[in-house]
Amino acid sequence: MEDVIIGSHVSYKKDSGLVGSVREALSYGSNTFMLYTGAPQNTIRGSIDGKLVEEAYKLMGENNINPKNVVVHAPYIVNLASSDAEKFNFAVSFLKQEIKRTEEMGFDKIVLHPGSHVGAGEEIGLKNIIDGLNQVLKNDTSVDICLETMAGKGSELGKTFDEIKQIIEGVDDNTHLKVCLDTCHINDAGYDLSDFDLILDEFDKKIGLSRLAVLHINDSKNEKGAHKDRHENFGLGTIGFKKLLDVIYNPKLKDVPKILETPYVSEVDGSKDRSFPPYKYEIEMIKSKNFNDNLLEDIRKNYK
Ligand code: FE
Ligand code: FE
Ligand code: ZN
């Protein structure tokens, strides 16, 4: 079996801290993971429990998880593109603190949604993002901010490689500015994943492959160019099993961590009562390169 750096988004709970996140990742057969330092949808953050970090590092060491491959994701509502001074300043100060928390955990990648201009227009939104990053990246740090490629839902920016390039070029000290490429998002933004090498060529020309630091691996519920951003389970969406494997096993991306953010599977189709993480089964398919026709049923059976 080829070795692949693969994991998923995992939870981070106050009482179990980073140890809980590592345990969850290991339960899926992952060798990396991504966490939010609190709830993804809000910005309430506690202090990092150093003891639990220490314990987590012991567990990661015993299980070959390299902290260099672990990813922190900033909450969705942080919006550097905002023209509202209060929201913009909040985003800047939140990100400065997020860098500190990430340093305390000994990690060096934060994924960030570039932001939405919410009606102010693309040029103004992009300028706000650049101004914000110039403030956030001022200090010396080992932490990289990875701008995520977006689906272009609503007024989201970062939906083309050109926009990402414009942001990176606008930031004075952009050494620590990297990119997270999300397969669902680029599909929904209009990129054709049937030839991923072509996409990588464009990325390399415009941004430079050395900036590609994280991959989000998701199938999509919508057709190419739909600008929707609805993730689907691995191999069950419009991108499909083969094209997603082409991304994961592309030799140019061997050292880039791959993170699944596919949706939990509900116990009964359509119900919202109970749902189960798909990652153990999706990672099995990825490692074996064999599509599991019974993916959803296997997941439901396992957690029942
Ligand atoms: Fe994201
Ligand atoms: Fe993503
Ligand atoms: Zn998404």
Side-chain angles (χ1 to χ4, degrees), residues 148 182 184-185 218 229 231 261:
E148 182 162 354
D182 185 310
C184 168
H185 295 177
N218 303 303
D229 188 6
H231 302 184
E261 302 172 298

